[in-house]
Amino acid sequence: MSLLPPGMAVHEARMRQALRQAQRAAEAGEVPVGAVIYNSGHLAGQAWNQTRTLKDPTAHAEMIAITQAASAAGDWRLTHSILYVTKEPCPMCAGAIVLARIPLVVWGMSDPLRGGAVSRFPILQTPELNHRAEVISGVLEEECTALIKGFFKQRRLENKAGDEWN
């Protein structure tokens, strides 16, 4: 089966789903990153960051969504999937994307300081690994960036008022 990427309107609609997940993270006091996975055109996983809630450093939106999608597919190989995430995946999540064989990753905002997909650590494009993923970045970038920046601006204000958050 050939995986033909959908058009930009579909990418934007699916990124809006990821943004809704990211908003749920923000409402829970988590870093507002959301992810959705479509497998063979069907929604297979959706999640938001839950590291603080679950007290689990691996509970990133991408990791939870990958687990859900693999469970739905009954296979750890997600070779007919597209992952949509509001922020460029970190190195841990990029490693999981490679292991899951996800062929396309679409994100909103890039992370030049810590991005593990292509920006800082180009894990998704490393030829020595057994899989490489295509990427589309900048989909609804302004909305994704505004959500993250707004969240951390609020956290800084709370820190000045004596509320610890780190």
Side-chain angles (χ1 to χ4, degrees):
M1 175 180 174
S2 170
L3 179 69
L4 296 175
M8 193 52 70
V10 173
H11 289 320
E12 288 179 0
R14 292 176 178 177
M15 186 61 71
R16 288 192 196 293
Q17 288 179 284
L19 274 164
R20 284 192 291 277
Q21 293 296 312
Q23 186 59 48
R24 291 179 74 179
E27 291 166 2
E30 299 278 0
V31 174
V33 176
V36 297
I37 296 179
Y38 276 79
N39 189 1
S40 298
H42 301 285
L43 181 63
Q46 58 183 343
W48 65 93
N49 274 1
Q50 297 178 52
T51 56
R52 293 171 60 87
T53 301
L54 298 177
K55 297 175 180 32
D56 178 355
T58 69
H60 290 197
E62 302 95 309
M63 300 294 282
I64 297 169
I66 288 170
T67 298
Q68 290 173 354
S71 179
D75 194 349
W76 57 270
R77 293 176 212 89
L78 299 174
T79 57
H80 300 292
S81 296
I82 301 173
L83 168 64
Y84 296 85
V85 61
T86 56
K87 184 180 137 316
E88 179 180 356
C90 73
M92 174 184 68
C93 293
I97 291 163
V98 168
L99 292 172
R101 315 292 199 276
I102 296 173
L104 178 61
V105 181
V106 180
W107 68 75
M109 67 173 281
S110 294
D111 185 352
L113 294 177
R114 293 172 211 84
V118 297
S119 293
R120 178 75 171 116
F121 306 100
I123 294 168
L124 297 185
Q125 303 294 307
T126 300
E128 293 82 11
L129 296 175
N130 62 334
H131 173 75
R132 279 165 297 292
E134 296 297 318
V135 301
I136 299 173
S137 62
V139 176
L140 301 182
E141 182 175 15
E142 289 180 21
E143 292 94 326
C144 295
T145 301
L147 186 58
I148 290 269
K149 285 186 174 184
F151 176 82
F152 283 110
K153 181 179 181 181
Q154 181 63 34
R155 291 287 130 353
R156 285 189 297 276
L157 290 173
E158 290 169 4
N159 283 342
K160 286 182 181 177
D163 181 20
E164 294 292 324
W165 196 95
N166 55 17

Short mmCIF file of all heavy atoms in Angstrom, two decimals, residues 5-7 9 16 24 31-33 40 59 64 69-70 82 87 97 99 103 114 138 154 164:
data_model
loop_
_atom_site.label_atom_id
_atom_site.label_comp_id
_atom_site.label_asym_id
_atom_site.label_seq_id
_atom_site.Cartn_x
_atom_site.Cartn_y
_atom_site.Cartn_z
N PRO A 5 0.71 11.30 0.90
CA PRO A 5 0.37 12.31 1.88
C PRO A 5 -0.84 13.13 1.44
O PRO A 5 -0.99 13.44 0.26
CB PRO A 5 1.62 13.19 1.94
CG PRO A 5 2.71 12.36 1.36
CD PRO A 5 2.05 11.44 0.37
N PRO A 6 -1.72 13.45 2.39
CA PRO A 6 -2.87 14.29 2.05
C PRO A 6 -2.43 15.71 1.75
O PRO A 6 -1.29 16.09 2.01
CB PRO A 6 -3.72 14.22 3.31
CG PRO A 6 -2.80 13.83 4.40
CD PRO A 6 -1.69 13.04 3.77
N GLY A 7 -3.35 16.49 1.20
CA GLY A 7 -3.05 17.88 0.88
C GLY A 7 -2.94 18.75 2.11
O GLY A 7 -3.25 18.34 3.23
N ALA A 9 -4.69 21.22 3.21
CA ALA A 9 -5.93 21.47 3.97
C ALA A 9 -6.17 20.35 4.97
O ALA A 9 -6.59 20.61 6.12
CB ALA A 9 -7.12 21.61 3.02
N ARG A 16 -5.04 21.05 13.71
CA ARG A 16 -5.99 21.66 14.64
C ARG A 16 -6.43 20.66 15.71
O ARG A 16 -6.63 21.03 16.87
CB ARG A 16 -7.20 22.23 13.89
CG ARG A 16 -6.86 23.47 13.10
CD ARG A 16 -8.06 24.22 12.58
NE ARG A 16 -7.67 25.16 11.55
CZ ARG A 16 -6.93 26.24 11.73
NH1 ARG A 16 -6.48 26.54 12.92
NH2 ARG A 16 -6.63 27.03 10.72
N ARG A 24 -5.54 20.96 25.95
CA ARG A 24 -5.87 20.13 27.11
C ARG A 24 -4.66 20.03 28.04
O ARG A 24 -4.80 20.06 29.26
CB ARG A 24 -6.30 18.74 26.66
CG ARG A 24 -7.65 18.75 25.94
CD ARG A 24 -8.06 17.38 25.49
NE ARG A 24 -8.49 16.59 26.64
CZ ARG A 24 -8.92 15.35 26.55
NH1 ARG A 24 -8.97 14.73 25.37
NH2 ARG A 24 -9.30 14.69 27.63
N VAL A 31 3.17 21.19 29.76
CA VAL A 31 3.68 21.90 28.58
C VAL A 31 2.74 21.57 27.43
O VAL A 31 2.48 20.40 27.14
CB VAL A 31 5.12 21.48 28.26
CG1 VAL A 31 5.59 22.11 26.96
CG2 VAL A 31 6.05 21.86 29.41
N PRO A 32 2.18 22.60 26.77
CA PRO A 32 1.12 22.37 25.79
C PRO A 32 1.61 21.85 24.43
O PRO A 32 1.77 22.58 23.47
CB PRO A 32 0.47 23.74 25.65
CG PRO A 32 1.56 24.70 25.96
CD PRO A 32 2.42 24.02 26.99
N VAL A 33 1.83 20.55 24.41
CA VAL A 33 2.15 19.86 23.17
C VAL A 33 1.08 18.80 22.98
O VAL A 33 0.74 18.07 23.92
CB VAL A 33 3.55 19.22 23.20
CG1 VAL A 33 3.82 18.40 21.94
CG2 VAL A 33 4.62 20.28 23.38
N SER A 40 -3.46 4.76 7.99
CA SER A 40 -4.26 4.43 6.80
C SER A 40 -5.49 5.34 6.70
O SER A 40 -6.57 4.91 6.32
CB SER A 40 -4.68 2.96 6.81
OG SER A 40 -3.54 2.14 6.77
N ALA A 59 6.12 10.46 29.26
CA ALA A 59 4.71 10.69 28.91
C ALA A 59 4.54 11.92 28.02
O ALA A 59 3.71 12.79 28.29
CB ALA A 59 3.86 10.77 30.16
N ILE A 64 2.69 8.78 23.90
CA ILE A 64 1.37 8.24 24.25
C ILE A 64 0.57 7.95 22.98
O ILE A 64 -0.06 6.89 22.86
CB ILE A 64 0.62 9.20 25.18
CG1 ILE A 64 1.38 9.34 26.51
CG2 ILE A 64 -0.81 8.73 25.42
CD1 ILE A 64 0.88 10.47 27.40
N ALA A 69 -1.68 4.20 18.90
CA ALA A 69 -1.77 3.80 17.49
C ALA A 69 -1.28 2.37 17.28
O ALA A 69 -1.87 1.61 16.51
CB ALA A 69 -1.00 4.78 16.62
N ALA A 70 -0.20 2.00 17.97
CA ALA A 70 0.31 0.64 17.85
C ALA A 70 -0.71 -0.36 18.40
O ALA A 70 -0.93 -1.43 17.81
CB ALA A 70 1.65 0.51 18.57
N ILE A 82 0.71 8.77 9.76
CA ILE A 82 1.22 10.14 9.75
C ILE A 82 1.04 10.67 11.17
O ILE A 82 -0.05 10.59 11.74
CB ILE A 82 0.48 11.05 8.76
CG1 ILE A 82 0.58 10.50 7.34
CG2 ILE A 82 1.03 12.47 8.82
CD1 ILE A 82 -0.27 11.25 6.32
N LYS A 87 4.72 20.63 18.19
CA LYS A 87 6.11 21.07 18.32
C LYS A 87 7.03 19.96 17.85
O LYS A 87 6.73 18.79 18.03
CB LYS A 87 6.40 21.41 19.79
CG LYS A 87 7.76 21.99 20.06
CD LYS A 87 7.89 22.26 21.56
CE LYS A 87 9.19 21.87 22.16
NZ LYS A 87 9.76 20.62 21.80
N ILE A 97 9.72 7.42 16.94
CA ILE A 97 9.18 7.54 15.58
C ILE A 97 9.96 6.64 14.63
O ILE A 97 9.38 5.93 13.80
CB ILE A 97 9.21 9.02 15.12
CG1 ILE A 97 8.19 9.83 15.93
CG2 ILE A 97 8.99 9.15 13.62
CD1 ILE A 97 8.41 11.34 15.87
N LEU A 99 11.73 3.95 15.47
CA LEU A 99 11.46 2.55 15.82
C LEU A 99 10.08 2.10 15.33
O LEU A 99 9.91 0.95 14.94
CB LEU A 99 11.59 2.35 17.32
CG LEU A 99 13.00 2.48 17.88
CD1 LEU A 99 12.98 2.45 19.39
CD2 LEU A 99 13.91 1.41 17.31
N PRO A 103 6.31 6.95 8.56
CA PRO A 103 6.95 7.52 7.37
C PRO A 103 6.85 9.04 7.22
O PRO A 103 7.65 9.63 6.50
CB PRO A 103 6.21 6.83 6.23
CG PRO A 103 4.89 6.46 6.79
CD PRO A 103 5.11 6.20 8.25
N ARG A 114 16.39 22.30 21.01
CA ARG A 114 16.28 20.94 21.51
C ARG A 114 15.61 19.97 20.55
O ARG A 114 15.36 18.83 20.91
CB ARG A 114 15.49 20.94 22.82
CG ARG A 114 16.19 21.63 23.96
CD ARG A 114 15.26 21.76 25.16
NE ARG A 114 15.55 22.96 25.93
CZ ARG A 114 15.10 24.18 25.66
NH1 ARG A 114 14.31 24.39 24.65
NH2 ARG A 114 15.43 25.19 26.41
N GLY A 138 6.10 23.62 10.06
CA GLY A 138 5.50 24.94 9.90
C GLY A 138 4.01 24.94 9.65
O GLY A 138 3.45 25.97 9.31
N GLN A 154 2.97 32.75 31.14
CA GLN A 154 2.14 32.61 32.34
C GLN A 154 2.93 31.95 33.47
O GLN A 154 2.84 32.36 34.63
CB GLN A 154 0.88 31.81 32.02
CG GLN A 154 -0.04 31.65 33.20
CD GLN A 154 -0.60 32.98 33.70
OE1 GLN A 154 -0.84 33.90 32.92
NE2 GLN A 154 -0.77 33.09 35.00
N GLU A 164 6.12 27.85 42.41
CA GLU A 164 7.22 27.11 41.78
C GLU A 164 6.72 26.27 40.63
O GLU A 164 5.75 25.53 40.79
CB GLU A 164 7.92 26.22 42.82
CG GLU A 164 8.62 26.98 43.91
CD GLU A 164 9.82 27.75 43.41
OE1 GLU A 164 10.52 27.26 42.53
OE2 GLU A 164 10.06 28.85 43.93
#
